[in-house]
Amino acid sequence: MPQREVTIINRLGMHTRAAAKFVKAAALYESEIRLIKGDIEVDGKSIISIMMLAAAKGDRVIIRAIGSDEQKALEDLSKLIGKKFGEDRKGR
C-alpha cells in the first residue's frame, strides 16, 4: 500500500488548525487515509484522531492512502505538510 514519510516542519506542529486543514484536504479523496506516528495509527479524516498523535515540529509521520486516488492523495497531503499547512508566515 502506498505511503509517504514526511516531517512536520511548521512551528506549532500538528495543532488543531493544522489538523483541520489536513482533514479537510483528506476528505477530498475517496481513498482511506491513515496517519502514523511511531506505533500509533489513526484515521486521517478525523481531527480528533489526528490530535491524538500530538505530532510536534520535527516529528516524522507516515501518510498511508488506500483507494482509487491514493497517489494523488499522498502527493497533495505531503505538499500540505511541506508547505507548513499554510502557516508560519511572517507575523504569525
Side-chain angles (χ1 to χ4, degrees):
M1 70 189 72
Q3 61 184 37
R4 192 171 296 180
E5 187 174 29
V6 295
T7 301
I8 303 297
I9 58 173
N10 62 313
R11 185 172 53 90
L12 299 175
M14 209 160 198
H15 58 88
T16 306
R17 189 172 40 229
K21 286 183 179 181
F22 188 92
V23 168
K24 185 175 179 181
L28 297 175
Y29 301 96
E30 182 179 305
S31 293
E32 177 183 352
I33 307 294
R34 308 294 296 177
L35 200 58
I36 304 159
K37 179 185 157 202
D39 294 336
I40 304 171
E41 180 174 339
V42 299
D43 180 357
K45 295 182 178 180
S46 165
I47 191 167
I48 298 299
S49 295
I50 291 175
M51 295 304 297
M52 289 174 37
L53 293 178
K57 182 178 182 181
D59 285 345
R60 296 193 62 79
V61 296
I62 295 171
I63 305 167
R64 183 175 290 158
I66 306 159
S68 62
D69 52 3
E70 59 196 20
Q71 292 299 331
K72 180 70 172 147
L74 284 178
E75 182 178 323
D76 290 349
L77 294 170
S78 297
K79 282 182 185 176
L80 177 65
I81 292 174
K83 291 182 178 179
K84 304 178 182 179
F85 304 95
E87 300 176 346
D88 286 352
R89 289 180 287 209
K90 201 170 191 173
R92 293 184 85 190

